[in-house]
Amino acid sequence: MFAAPLRYVQGQGALDTLGAELARLKSTRPVVLCDPNVLETLRPRLEALEGATVVDFNGEVSPAEIERVAAVVRELEADGIVGVGGGKTLDTAKAVGHPAGLVVVLAPTIASTDAPTSSLSIIYDDDGTFLEYRLYGRNPDAVIVDTAIIAQAPVRFLVAGIGDGLSTFFEADASARTNKPALAGGPPLLAATALARLCYDTLLANGVAARQAVERGVVTPAVERVVEANTLLSGLGFESGGLAAAHSIHNGLTALPETHHRWHGEKVAFGVVALLVLEGRPQELLEEVVDFCLKVGLPVTLGDLAVNADRATLARIAAVACAEGETIHNEPFPVTPDMVVAALLGADAVGAERRALLRRTMDLPAVCA
Ligand SMILES: [Zn+2]
């Protein structure tokens, strides 16, 4: 199986196409759900959309917030919903729009995860504790990614997105070897694995240059390529290609409160290094990935994530990572918690060693700054 949004638009000024996209989809009375963090300069552009009503998102993708927005949609008899902002705003727009059969258009203002193209939302309670995944069996009608807006956001968002995108190929590759069903509903087709590979190659070739450009608030071809890799290639790659050990190790890390200040893609990046150790991948590949993480500013050691390397802590991460139903079981061999503990320590060792080595010859950016 292979799933994708109907349309994906990316480039500087892409948001100017929003009105035309809505007209094409025959939505004349959309609700625009607007992240409170979006730039003040963006709001008048959204308010100027013909027939649209701008509604402020309250900050949490919770059942109560979804119901509040759904009530506004019903009251206005809206025929579409546009999410503008970060992941939680977009997930709320999906959670309101898909069950009601509305046109769903998403306009991410950051490139920190691969969620915008997917057919699911992650739901939390009002305090921000994870509740559930909601699967809609339907992808957004359009995803509009304005790189001029994304380049204005703090660079840490882009770097976290690179961390998330770094996992896509290795997890799709594991899933392809085991032929396990991906989120899209079936085992991966060649298309998903190929897009996942392109995602990895694109990030490696352009990640450092993209970081440097966004630090200066400008869009270069490298930024365009990395935003496409973070959002489109990684999104299609994970949904139809499958997840494996890196995201399960991420889930294990989130069980520790000390990692809560680290973002999804930052924890996933360390999960990728641990995946490579777990799979016994060649040393050159391990060094390629770790060196790239160091040059772009992603965590490569447990210390970078504020995690103590003692056995009890590592066992806790491993137990969550290996829970029943976790995607780590898509790896092409049985994985036990002891193997995960060993992989975490192995990854930490490679990360520390490569950092010490690279520091002798170059300045490395601060991690997650
Ligand atoms: Zn992810």
Side-chain angles (χ1 to χ4, degrees), residues 6 24 48 57 128 148 151 166 168 200 230 234 236 249 272 279 305 312 320 333 343 352:
L6 285 176
R24 193 181 57 78
F57 174 56
L166 207 54
T168 310
Y200 178 72
N230 285 9
S234 181
L236 302 186
I249 289 169
V272 174
E279 290 189 353
L305 296 167
V320 176
F333 47 84

Side-chain angles (χ1 to χ4, degrees), residues 315-330:
R316 220 173 126 201
I317 299 168
V320 176
C322 293
E324 204 186 317
E326 269 298 335
T327 54
I328 203 165
H329 303 300
N330 291 345

Side-chain angles (χ1 to χ4, degrees), residues 1-22:
M1 287 207 195
F2 186 83
L6 285 176
R7 199 139 149 135
Y8 179 88
V9 187
Q10 183 190 307
Q12 294 194 67
L15 200 67
D16 294 337
T17 68
L18 179 57
E21 286 299 321
L22 286 165

